[in-house]
Amino acid sequence: MYGTESLAINEQGHLTLGGADIPALASKYGTPLYLMDEGGIRKACRAYLEAGRKHYGENFFPAFAGKAFCIGAMYRILAEEGFGADVVSGGELYTAHRAGFDMRKILYHGNNKTRAELAEGLDYGVGRFVVDNVDEMRALESLCAERNVRAGILLRITPGVEAHTHAYIRTGQIDSKFGMAIETGAADEGVRTALSCPHLDLHGFHCHIGSQILETEPFAAAAEVMTDYIAHVRDTFGTVVPELNVGGGFGIRYTEEDTPKTPDENLAALAAALKAACAGKNLPLPRLMIEPGRSIVAPYGVTVYTVGGVKTIPGYRTYVAVDGGMTDNPRYILYGSKYEFVVPERASEPRTMTATIAGRNCESGDLVGENVSIQPVRPGDLLCTLTTGAYCYAMASNYNRVPRPAVVMIRDGSDRLVVRRETLEDLVRCDIL
Ligand SMILES: *Cc1c(COP(=O)(O)O)cnc(C)c1O
């Protein structure tokens, strides 16, 4: 009833996630609290793997975009589900390595990896470096030469397809801090450089056209542009690259305004476009890589807060203050993101109250939602934000020295702590008096 299949209402009228009673978990672990339905995450992984195999075959490699939810337990789940993973920093790489993740299944992204980070990537043996620019390529080449090792690379290309949730634009968008544009010749310069680096193996190209994309057409368009580019590289440089990574950005349902495509629909469109484009250019089918982040985790996460004050400003609005805010969910203050909210103890009652959900931090913009519908609340009630599994814990901060919440995974109705709540001691552990 509340949008994701992970949520239900039990006999007590309580909201459940993955079969577990949310108010009971809130009393067990305290609030604010992140809850994640591990069963839902695993199902999402399987849906991508099945869709890829069904529509494209075995030459398909899905990698989770770690930036959406980067914790050790997540890498264990990904490994068990046969997924690869993207990392974008030494910290994400360390998290994956520490969890025992197979480094050959890591794609190392980032538009400005430091020399030290590149060296770590080489020493860990990551599968692919996604190289952003020629300077990075030269740095990687020299590090490989020092070590007498080779590195497998993909070049990040700006394809000139920019997706907005529904529409996409076929030109422009060469003005990006990420990647090398086809139109300006930067991509060709990247290919020329890569082919001249004796320690770098150019396996293919990568692009990422946007996030929260709710249609299949932008992915098909990106596949076409990238296939044209692979053909151009064959004709210009005499090299047929075997891999194409079309990035992530598959949309999800945050509110009922969003009608996302399923993994099956997205992969069907992507595979059809890629097969047609390759046939047209007389190219062998490349290994298809995708990088879903949000769609693997966002729908399966809930944040649980305790309501503090409820303040009505006559003629204006009612603020419901919660014991979290921009520190555990900065997406509202960053992008004005929309969410649904539920009072989990009265989940079956109608949401007749219009409220603005205010955080506890010292910023007027510290809201989690504006003019949203919730069950009428009183101080002391619990309040859940739905679909917070992506880019919430991952973006959480200690602003105002607020400890970051715990993360609890739920599988088949039973719960386990995967990130403990920060303590006051954690907050001061780097301070030197
Ligand atoms: C952010 C990002 C992703 C994941 O995007 P989602 O919207 O979370 O699916 C994948 N690849 C790259 C390169 C990204 O920057």
Side-chain angles (χ1 to χ4, degrees):
M1 81 166 278
Y2 285 119
T4 109
E5 69 271 24
S6 291
L7 293 166
I9 296 173
N10 64 18
E11 297 107 58
Q12 290 120 289
H14 291 180
L15 190 64
T16 63
L17 181 76
D21 185 284
I22 291 179
L25 293 174
S27 19
K28 178 168 174 185
Y29 294 101
T31 64
L33 179 67
Y34 297 108
L35 300 174
M36 299 288 289
D37 175 24
E38 184 174 342
I41 294 172
R42 288 178 185 272
K43 254 204 235 161
C45 291
R46 285 170 206 171
Y48 277 111
L49 272 165
E50 279 162 24
R53 287 183 184 144
K54 173 173 150 199
H55 297 290
Y56 199 75
E58 290 302 313
N59 207 9
F60 170 68
F61 181 81
F64 172 67
K67 70 180 192 203
F69 183 60
C70 183
I71 65 165
M74 186 65 198
Y75 289 100
R76 294 275 165 91
I77 294 171
L78 294 168
E80 286 176 14
E81 294 300 332
F83 249 62
D86 289 3
V87 298
V88 299
S89 70
E92 289 188 358
L93 181 61
Y94 180 72
T95 305
H97 187 258
R98 186 169 173 275
F101 197 79
D102 182 349
M103 292 287 114
R104 291 167 303 182
K105 291 186 149 190
I106 291 278
L107 309 177
Y108 199 169
H109 282 270
N111 68 306
N112 190 17
K113 307 176 204 56
T114 64
R115 255 186 106 78
E117 285 176 322
L118 290 170
E120 273 160 24
L122 285 174
D123 296 343
Y124 284 152
V126 304
R128 294 284 179 270
F129 290 84
V130 181
V131 176
D132 182 87
N133 58 68
V134 166
D135 294 323
E136 183 185 320
M137 221 178 298
R138 297 224 168 87
L140 187 60
E141 168 63 24
S142 83
L143 288 163
C144 286
E146 280 168 19
R147 288 167 169 70
N148 196 26
V149 294
R150 309 183 64 78
I153 65 169
L154 303 178
L155 299 191
R156 179 151 183 175
I157 301 295
T158 317
V161 174
E162 187 188 3
H164 300 282
T165 50
H166 289 282
Y168 68 92
I169 320 171
R170 191 81 185 236
T171 53
Q173 221 258 341
I174 57 175
D175 179 13
S176 169
K177 76 165 186 171
F178 292 111
M180 294 165 262
I182 295 172
E183 280 165 83
T184 60
D188 277 4
E189 193 203 340
V191 172
R192 197 172 298 114
T193 309
L195 295 175
S196 72
C197 288
H199 297 86
L200 303 185
D201 296 320
L202 176 62
H203 289 273
F205 301 115
H206 169 276
C207 67
H208 175 71
I209 55 171
S211 272
Q212 184 59 6
I213 299 168
L214 296 167
E215 301 296 340
T216 59
E217 287 81 7
F219 295 109
E224 280 164 27
V225 171
M226 295 299 282
T227 305
D228 287 351
Y229 190 63
I230 292 173
H232 163 82
V233 167
R234 171 195 61 194
D235 300 341
T236 311
F237 299 95
T239 300
V240 177
V241 298
E243 295 177 2
L244 174 61
N245 184 330
V246 296
F250 306 100
I252 66 133
R253 181 190 181 285
Y254 282 105
T255 68
E256 58 216 12
E257 289 166 25
D258 303 323
T259 49
K261 300 296 180 202
T262 61
D264 191 73
E265 289 166 324
N266 278 317
L267 265 304
L270 198 44
L274 190 51
K275 285 178 189 170
C278 286
K281 296 286 179 181
N282 208 10
L283 281 169
L285 285 180
R287 180 171 210 216
L288 174 61
M289 299 171 156
I290 60 166
E291 302 171 333
R294 155 190 346 256
S295 52
I296 300 279
V297 283
Y300 313 107
V302 165
T303 308
V304 194
Y305 298 114
T306 300
V307 171
V310 178
K311 187 189 291 181
T312 300
I313 305 179
Y316 293 88
R317 57 169 120 192
T318 300
Y319 285 97
V320 170
V322 295
D323 56 352
M326 63 182 280
T327 44
D328 58 79
N329 185 353
R331 292 190 69 253
Y332 182 87
I333 203 166
L334 279 172
Y335 323 111
S337 315
K338 290 190 175 157
Y339 287 101
E340 279 194 59
F341 298 84
V342 177
V343 174
E345 286 168 296
R346 296 192 292 282
S348 50
E349 292 175 18
R351 289 182 283 185
T352 54
M353 178 177 182
T354 301
T356 288
I357 314 302
R360 54 161 302 164
N361 295 99
C362 296
E363 289 287 329
S364 296
D366 171 32
L367 307 176
V368 200
E370 239 179 321
N371 298 320
V372 297
S373 299
I374 60 174
Q375 286 85 5
V377 278
R378 295 176 293 272
D381 282 343
L382 299 171
L383 182 66
C384 292
T385 318
L386 309 185
T387 57
T388 57
Y391 303 108
C392 286
Y393 179 75
M395 286 186 166
S397 78
N398 290 130
Y399 179 52
N400 293 158
R401 290 241 151 162
V402 173
R404 281 176 296 183
V407 183
V408 169
M409 284 269 185
I410 298 157
R411 193 174 184 188
D412 301 326
S414 52
D415 50 284
R416 72 188 163 109
L417 187 64
V418 291
V419 179
R420 68 161 171 80
R421 185 177 300 284
E422 282 180 336
T423 62
L424 295 179
E425 272 316 302
D426 290 328
L427 295 174
V428 298
R429 75 184 178 272
C430 301
D431 289 11
I432 299 167
L433 285 174

